[in-house]
Amino acid sequence: MAQARYDEHVLIVGGGGTGGALAHDLALRGLRVTLVERGELTSGTTGRHHGLLHSGGRYAVSDRESATECIEENRILRRICPGTLETNDGLFVAVEEEDLAYLEPFVEGCAACGIPTQRLTGAEALRLEPNLNPAVLAAVRVPDATMDGWRMPLRFFATARHNGAEIRTYTAVEGLLVHDHHVSGAALRDHVTGRCGEVRADVVVNATGPWSERVAAMAGVEVPIRPSPGVLVAVRGRLCNMVLNRLHKSGDGDIIVPQRALSVVGTSSWVVDDPDELGVPEDHVERMYAEGAKLVPAVRDTPMRAAWSAARPLIGARSAGDSGRELSRTFKTFDHRETDGVEGFVTITGGKGTTLRAMAEVCADVVCRKLGIDEPCRTRETVLLPHEAYYRAAA
Amino acid sequence: MSETGTRRLRVHRFKRGDGGAHFDEFVVPAGPRTTVLDALRWIQLHADPSLALRHSCMHASCGTCGVQVDGQEELACVARLGDHRGDPVTVEPLANVPVLTDLVVDMADFFRRFGDRHPVLRASEAVAGAQPPDGLDRFVRLEDCIECGLCLSACPVAATSARYAGPAALSAAQRLLEEPRGADRDDVLAWAGRPEGAWRCHVGMECTRACPADALPAERIMALRRELGGREAGARP
């Protein structure tokens, strides 16, 4: 296991994809890193997402900032995560006449964001995906892919661990150590032993996604986060090999992501106050079936394996609309010295699974600048260890 | 979860350095769709935040939430409380792997049983009549096995021998014979033919019954034996 080259110590709160990618980035730059997670890794939002490695197509018309981030990261993850992605591309499919009106803006939006596209006739789309709605009028191929919401992020944790980062799961933050507007660590409870303790650090990073408002409050600062859940339904059977999206403005139930021997239909979108209490509204499950069947009619008669909810950490004030769809999918780093006059505390939030590495890079730049450390990001080129190396590191 | 009633849960507890293991009992709200994982997370949020458990994807794809429910290996995320008659329903960690705390097992012990190569990306079955798009040789997908450890927990041979490779690792070896992905066939057979390999299986079929991903571990171990038998002229070492 590698040794840190610097004495500076960063404590990351949150073991989702963002925290894992940040631990990896900072460990590569030679810092001492400790990451704490109250449960298992990726047990919050990351593990529960539909598994779509975005090409950016979904945002190409309405949110070009997110779309551009997605295609750049899509290319990087294909390079650094070989063997963990189902790289079968995706289709945006027009199944009703009115979908066709979206085709030109979609192709133009993709071109403007650097997302390669290939136009297909309905017949050509059916040759690729015979289970598609036979009424398909046209389709556009994009470089979507399927990731594994557990194994892909686990490769970041595995590599971070091999580079010296300490990853402590089942360790809850009970409070932050705050004196004179300065955060210097956290009070922890270790659920493996039941014991309490403290960890001190030069910078504490809040990487808790939809929980980031709660953790920020421990330092007396606010971050404008709206936990926005969506319902997903996994049906038994692999109904397609490519990611299938409806060619229209993002809506409910308009994506089918094949994953192993399952097909995941998603999502819906609403907003909640408490990211721990999401529920799975029955009418949302029915909508996933109804909308999913418009893309692939066989969805209607395919038995359900599971229905669940995941909370997106969207950036926006509480006064924003209440569906969550109007909020950008981009991410933001808050250096709380600049926003609130609190030193030693940074929040990274927003974003999505596809952009985890980019979020980490931006946040690690902020952390290093605060610490006066001049080290470049190396995560674009560093191929990650296989996921099971996480466990071999522990041995 | 729609709350049409309550159920009693008896949950395994263990904290290192805090005396021996014991069971705690909880009453949880339960509706027709309530899963064991819903119930355990309800306990964490409303009754005892110190309860430690593994979960991630919530749809039987990551393999983290394996437990024993009334003695049966299950993924907590898709195990419905309503399908279990126990009163209370007993929830314990997986067997044949070390327990770290409460319901959390040490998966390092699961992964150490695998051979050197353990690819998780494979060729995908074709949807009937499908052809891959230009530029893609073929469709790919992740392996069926989700490395959850349910098969190892259910295996009666693993219960008597910590050295036994176990169903998941042997299945992975058999998948390399089916689809080598660069693996050397002789190396795989030599690994599977070790004394702690495929011949230790007693064909109890418990692994295939426990598998939540229909990965057919017992059938794969039998297929491995046929390959080994061909090589070793049927001689069992």
Side-chain angles (χ1 to χ4, degrees), chain A residues 40 42-43 47-48 86 88 127 130-131 141 151 170 191-192 238 241 259-260 277 282 305 308 387, chain B residues 15-16 33 46 54-57 59 61-62 101 124 127-128 131 134 139-140 142-143 146-147 212:
Chain A
E40 176 57 283
T42 71
S43 55
R48 288 185 230 175
E86 298 185 2
N88 297 329
R127 276 201 289 278
N131 289 332
R141 178 182 166 195
R151 285 164 188 81
Y170 311 104
H191 289 311
V192 175
R238 196 172 167 91
N241 277 307
Q259 195 185 93
R260 297 205 153 69
E277 302 272 11
E282 199 66 39
R305 181 59 163 145
W308 72 103
H387 71 283
Chain B
K15 299 292 180 196
R16 292 183 162 221
R33 289 253 300 263
H46 300 283
R54 306 181 68 219
H55 65 80
S56 179
C57 79
H59 63 283
S61 190
C62 72
T101 176
S124 177
V127 175
Q131 62 177 47
D134 301 339
F139 289 124
V140 292
L142 295 158
E143 282 281 4
I146 54 173
E147 305 160 335

Side-chain angles (χ1 to χ4, degrees), chain A residues 38-333:
Chain A
R38 66 177 181 171
E40 176 57 283
L41 299 173
T42 71
S43 55
T45 294
T46 300
R48 288 185 230 175
H49 81 85
H50 40 43
L52 172 57
L53 178 71
H54 281 273
S55 61
R58 188 165 175 82
Y59 308 116
V61 174
S62 60
D63 185 355
R64 288 190 178 176
E65 185 183 6
S66 294
T68 306
E69 286 166 6
C70 283
I71 187 63
E72 286 177 4
E73 293 306 310
N74 176 304
R75 293 202 172 97
I76 294 170
L77 287 173
R78 283 167 189 261
R79 213 163 55 225
I80 67 175
C81 273
T84 312
L85 303 170
E86 298 185 2
T87 47
N88 297 329
D89 290 350
L91 298 177
F92 278 76
V93 182
V95 294
E96 290 174 7
E97 284 292 336
E98 62 192 60
D99 296 346
L100 290 175
Y102 197 73
L103 198 149
E104 289 308 323
F106 177 79
V107 171
E108 280 167 27
C110 286
C113 298
I115 303 164
T117 55
Q118 180 189 5
R119 293 173 194 241
L120 303 170
T121 64
E124 286 168 337
L126 281 166
R127 276 201 289 278
L128 304 180
E129 291 293 353
N131 289 332
L132 267 177
N133 185 339
V136 52
L137 299 166
V140 181
R141 178 182 166 195
V142 294
D144 284 344
T146 298
M147 68 173 93
D148 180 313
W150 163 246
R151 285 164 188 81
M152 195 279 280
L154 199 55
R155 296 182 66 167
F156 283 90
F157 287 100
T159 313
R161 224 175 180 186
H162 278 266
N163 288 323
E166 186 185 359
I167 313 287
R168 294 179 59 181
T169 47
Y170 311 104
T171 302
V173 170
E174 305 243 291
L176 296 175
L177 310 179
V178 191
H179 302 283
D180 295 334
H181 304 287
H182 196 126
V183 177
S184 58
L188 306 173
R189 182 181 293 271
D190 180 341
H191 289 311
V192 175
T193 62
R195 284 197 289 275
C196 295
E198 289 181 357
V199 166
R200 302 188 68 86
D202 299 299
V203 176
V204 175
V205 180
N206 172 16
T208 55
W211 289 268
S212 53
E213 186 181 39
R214 198 181 287 178
V215 173
M218 293 177 179
V221 302
E222 287 182 22
V223 291
I225 279 297
R226 303 213 76 188
S228 171
V231 164
L232 300 107
V233 172
V235 299
R236 287 177 186 269
R238 196 172 167 91
L239 301 174
C240 49
N241 277 307
M242 305 174 81
V243 176
L244 302 179
N245 310 260
R246 183 83 178 270
L247 182 65
H248 66 185
K249 188 167 176 286
S250 295
D252 287 354
D254 58 358
I255 310 178
I256 302 178
V257 184
Q259 195 185 93
R260 297 205 153 69
L262 301 171
S263 302
V264 177
V265 186
T267 64
S268 58
S269 182
W270 74 102
V271 293
V272 296
D273 286 329
D274 183 355
D276 281 319
E277 302 272 11
L278 304 179
V280 182
E282 199 66 39
D283 58 322
H284 289 225
V285 175
E286 287 162 16
R287 209 179 311 148
M288 292 309 109
Y289 263 98
E291 293 297 321
K294 291 180 186 169
L295 273 172
V296 171
V299 164
R300 195 179 296 112
D301 304 311
T302 307
M304 185 165 78
R305 181 59 163 145
W308 72 103
S309 297
R312 309 168 182 91
L314 300 187
I315 298 169
R318 291 240 169 246
S319 55
D322 35 83
S323 80
R325 293 249 185 248
E326 63 284 353
L327 296 171
S328 170
R329 266 47 177 172
T330 191
F331 59 86
K332 191 166 164 59
T333 297

Side-chain angles (χ1 to χ4, degrees), chain B residues 125-213:
Chain B
E125 62 272 56
V127 175
Q131 62 177 47
D134 301 339
L136 279 187
D137 294 340
R138 58 179 187 178
F139 289 124
V140 292
R141 73 161 172 99
L142 295 158
E143 282 281 4
D144 282 326
C145 175
I146 54 173
E147 305 160 335
C148 61
L150 267 59
C151 57
L152 188 68
S153 177
C155 174
V157 177
T160 63
S161 167
R163 290 166 55 81
Y164 176 43
L170 290 168
S171 290
Q174 192 273 342
R175 282 284 306 130
L176 281 175
L177 297 183
E178 261 184 5
E179 191 183 338
R181 289 160 283 179
D184 183 289
R185 184 181 164 81
D186 287 338
D187 287 350
V188 175
L189 284 170
W191 180 87
R194 298 170 308 151
E196 56 272 35
W199 298 114
R200 284 298 300 272
C201 169
H202 289 179
V203 204
M205 309 300 283
E206 296 293 340
C207 52
T208 284
R209 265 195 289 276
C211 178

Side-chain angles (χ1 to χ4, degrees), chain B:
Chain B
M1 90 185 87
S2 55
E3 298 174 16
T4 55
T6 60
R7 291 291 298 272
R8 290 195 303 144
L9 243 66
R10 187 170 159 266
V11 181
H12 178 269
R13 304 305 302 273
F14 169 65
K15 299 292 180 196
R16 292 183 162 221
D18 192 29
H22 64 280
F23 286 86
D24 281 341
E25 211 172 286
F26 302 93
V27 177
V28 302
R33 289 253 300 263
T34 302
T35 63
V36 172
L37 182 56
D38 290 333
L40 294 170
R41 292 186 69 234
W42 187 91
I43 292 169
Q44 278 186 320
L45 290 170
H46 300 283
D48 187 347
S50 75
L51 176 65
L53 60 138
R54 306 181 68 219
H55 65 80
S56 179
C57 79
M58 307 278 196
H59 63 283
S61 190
C62 72
T64 59
C65 68
V67 287
Q68 296 183 71
V69 185
D70 286 343
Q72 293 283 323
E73 281 74 16
E74 303 222 36
L75 295 178
C77 69
V78 288
R80 299 246 167 120
L81 267 187
D83 293 336
H84 289 273
R85 318 192 82 168
D87 183 25
V89 174
T90 298
V91 185
E92 297 170 275
L94 294 179
N96 305 331
V97 273
V99 176
L100 281 176
T101 176
D102 292 343
L103 298 172
V104 178
V105 294
D106 182 2
M107 292 303 280
D109 194 73
F110 172 81
F111 282 101
R112 77 167 166 79
R113 294 166 192 261
F114 282 76
D116 285 342
R117 293 192 77 257
H118 174 210
V120 292
L121 202 67
R122 53 167 276 189
S124 177
E125 62 272 56
V127 175
Q131 62 177 47
D134 301 339
L136 279 187
D137 294 340
R138 58 179 187 178
F139 289 124
V140 292
R141 73 161 172 99
L142 295 158
E143 282 281 4
D144 282 326
C145 175
I146 54 173
E147 305 160 335
C148 61
L150 267 59
C151 57
L152 188 68
S153 177
C155 174
V157 177
T160 63
S161 167
R163 290 166 55 81
Y164 176 43
L170 290 168
S171 290
Q174 192 273 342
R175 282 284 306 130
L176 281 175
L177 297 183
E178 261 184 5
E179 191 183 338
R181 289 160 283 179
D184 183 289
R185 184 181 164 81
D186 287 338
D187 287 350
V188 175
L189 284 170
W191 180 87
R194 298 170 308 151
E196 56 272 35
W199 298 114
R200 284 298 300 272
C201 169
H202 289 179
V203 204
M205 309 300 283
E206 296 293 340
C207 52
T208 284
R209 265 195 289 276
C211 178
D214 299 327
L216 304 175
E219 289 78 353
R220 293 191 184 283
I221 295 172
M222 292 308 103
L224 257 188
R225 283 185 174 183
R226 285 192 293 276
E227 300 273 359
L228 286 165
R231 198 168 83 132
E232 297 170 10
R236 183 178 165 147

